[in-house]
Amino acid sequence: MSTNNLQSCKRKMFLHGHGRQSTSIDDLGLDILVYEILIRLPAKGVGRSKCVCKEWLSLLSTRHFAMMHCRHISTTYNQKFIAIGSRLCSVFPLSCKDSGPLLNSRILLPFEAPWNKVNILTSFEGLLCVCFRNTGKLVIWNPLTRAFKEVSSSNSRGLYKPKSDAIGLYVDKTDDYKLLHIKRRRGRMWVHVYSSMFDSWHKITFANKLRCWRGKPIWSNGTFCKGVLYFLVNCFIENKGVMLFGFDVESERFKLKTFPRFPHAYYDGNLVVVHKELHMFVTHGLPNCTVDLWRMEGESWVKLWVFPRIQPIILSYSITHIASTGRFLVVSNDGVANEIDTTKKGDDCFLPVVWFHGLQGAIYTENLSSPDFYFH
């Protein structure tokens, strides 16, 4: 909504507070109420607001409001860390300024699967993509609303194989949540895209034309930024180093992107989105690794920060930006976690995190996004 509407709302509340006129919620106007006030509430607050009346329930339950709410809060607050272990599934807040133990809430999985058979692959706008280790089936899930959608089909599309496949969640210009699945079997590769709007898969037919995809490259899962889903491809087995590919979600075409260049023979990267810009942590040099933070600007990269020579970030780590604190969470595949604070220097910038040590998990932002809006 416009600035004038917001100022009008503030003026009415000011006058009411000084006894100059009586102002009710109805006087604010429905647009101001919904798109200037309710849209700013945390997701759980929106859920409680649905109980006010039938009109609010109807307005706040629409897909349009959910998408607007998601865009508004995605870079501000409500970030959580969800951890799935063999005996528990817990959600931790990430707003504290210290790395001590935090209160957590236990949640129940809405689908029929043992906790120790569920593997979180990636997160995007409050949605998690998980796979069942015993079947390979893929599920898109919102832990807050408990809504989920199993996307695996009867013709074996959407069956995930660890250490071979890669996936990426994104949204296109029609606000259709989609899942890209890169599938590798016996030296061949297929790429399929699932649409939540149409509840169907379609094939990207040209993918195998890229010669550099042959062999046994190691693919990262996708990182979505500004209409492009980015993948890091480690081809050191083929003596090609690490390459960065971008999948344009509108044209559905892959393109080789530039990668920061280093004098060392060994290097690797880890992608992360910070303030809607694509960044990359790059590890280079052996045996004494150095880690740099770079930001993509256009088609080139700019170095922002050099990691001190302490515990290195290596292949087995994933890195996520914590918007609520401005720091980065570094989680190993074994569940060992540390925080990086780029505003500090030396050893002070590297903080061990003990409150979910040994757990598998991911950071996500609590919101109302749903993989099954189209089927209500």
Side-chain angles (χ1 to χ4, degrees):
M1 299 303 295
S2 67
T3 302
N4 291 337
N5 285 340
L6 183 58
Q7 293 299 324
S8 175
C9 173
K10 291 180 178 178
R11 177 171 176 75
K12 287 181 179 180
M13 299 174 92
F14 172 81
L15 293 174
H16 174 63
H18 287 73
R20 295 178 58 182
Q21 75 178 61
S22 177
T23 303
S24 67
I25 289 180
D26 293 336
D27 294 329
L28 296 178
L30 191 60
D31 284 350
I32 291 179
L33 178 65
V34 174
Y35 295 108
E36 293 291 352
I37 299 177
L38 297 180
I39 203 171
R40 300 172 186 272
L41 294 176
K44 291 181 178 179
V46 173
R48 289 190 289 268
S49 299
K50 292 181 179 181
C51 301
V52 172
C53 63
K54 291 183 178 180
E55 186 178 20
W56 284 29
L57 173 63
S58 176
L59 288 169
L60 302 184
S61 299
T62 63
R63 177 172 165 271
H64 175 69
F65 179 83
M67 298 298 293
M68 294 285 291
H69 181 265
C70 174
R71 301 294 188 270
H72 183 80
I73 70 168
S74 60
T75 58
T76 52
Y77 52 90
N78 286 341
Q79 280 187 314
K80 307 288 184 179
F81 185 89
I82 183 169
I84 299 180
S86 59
R87 296 185 179 180
L88 75 163
C89 181
S90 301
V91 176
F92 299 85
L94 291 175
S95 58
C96 291
K97 296 183 179 180
D98 58 69
S99 58
L102 301 177
L103 297 176
N104 67 84
S105 57
R106 183 169 177 173
I107 64 174
L108 298 176
L109 298 178
F111 32 78
E112 295 182 3
W115 290 333
N116 59 350
K117 298 297 182 181
V118 177
N119 186 29
I120 299 175
L121 301 178
T122 190
S123 65
F124 176 69
E125 292 193 348
L127 299 177
L128 301 179
C129 181
V130 305
C131 76
F132 301 153
R133 297 172 188 169
N134 53 338
T135 63
K137 290 183 177 180
L138 292 172
V139 172
I140 302 176
W141 167 42
N142 185 325
L144 177 65
T145 66
R146 291 177 54 82
F148 71 96
K149 180 70 177 178
E150 185 176 311
V151 301
S152 303
S153 64
S154 58
N155 59 359
S156 299
R157 292 185 179 181
L159 293 180
Y160 182 86
K161 184 177 180 180
K163 300 181 180 180
S164 295
D165 297 0
I167 56 95
L169 271 173
Y170 64 93
V171 63
D172 66 12
K173 63 182 180 181
T174 66
D175 289 335
D176 182 9
Y177 284 108
K178 293 184 175 180
L179 177 69
L180 183 139
H181 180 200
I182 299 173
K183 183 177 180 179
R184 294 187 300 153
R185 302 289 187 273
R186 300 177 180 178
R188 297 187 61 191
M189 178 176 291
W190 298 266
V191 180
H192 295 93
V193 173
Y194 172 80
S195 164
S196 59
M197 181 178 292
F198 300 102
D199 190 25
S200 63
W201 291 86
H202 69 271
K203 185 178 181 180
I204 307 298
T205 56
F206 69 95
N208 275 318
K209 295 180 181 179
L210 299 179
R211 291 182 298 174
C212 57
W213 288 17
R214 299 173 184 173
K216 297 182 179 180
I218 301 174
W219 282 71
S220 71
N221 286 324
T223 300
F224 184 68
C225 183
K226 295 182 177 180
V228 179
L229 194 60
Y230 292 93
F231 295 88
L232 285 170
V233 185
N234 189 324
C235 299
F236 276 102
I237 296 178
E238 308 293 327
N239 295 318
K240 296 177 182 177
V242 178
M243 294 180 289
L244 176 66
F245 280 95
F247 176 77
D248 185 285
V249 302
E250 298 305 329
S251 65
E252 295 193 332
R253 293 291 185 268
F254 282 91
K255 182 180 178 181
L256 183 64
K257 301 290 186 176
T258 58
F259 193 97
R261 296 186 178 276
F262 303 94
H264 305 288
Y266 172 83
Y267 56 91
D268 190 40
N270 201 299
L271 298 172
V272 60
V273 176
V274 183
H275 303 311
K276 299 183 180 180
E277 300 289 341
L278 186 68
H279 289 63
M280 185 189 305
F281 280 90
V282 181
T283 303
H284 56 96
L286 285 176
N288 297 317
C289 293
T290 299
V291 181
D292 306 328
L293 176 61
W294 297 71
R295 180 178 65 228
M296 176 177 269
E297 295 186 357
E299 293 297 322
S300 60
W301 291 89
V302 176
K303 184 187 292 187
L304 302 180
W305 189 70
V306 178
F307 196 84
R309 289 187 176 275
I310 52 181
Q311 182 176 347
I313 305 169
I314 56 176
L315 288 172
S316 60
Y317 282 80
S318 63
I319 303 174
T320 309
H321 181 245
I322 307 176
S324 57
T325 65
R327 294 181 289 188
F328 297 89
L329 184 68
V330 186
V331 184
S332 74
N333 290 346
D334 298 326
V336 178
N338 293 275
E339 280 187 349
I340 300 175
D341 188 345
T342 57
T343 64
K344 298 181 180 180
K345 297 181 179 180
D347 294 352
D348 292 337
C349 74
F350 194 81
L351 307 171
V353 178
V354 299
W355 38 270
F356 59 85
H357 181 82
L359 299 177
Q360 302 293 325
I363 286 181
Y364 73 104
T365 302
E366 283 190 339
N367 61 41
L368 304 173
S369 301
S370 176
D372 59 354
F373 260 121
Y374 306 97
F375 310 104
H376 289 323

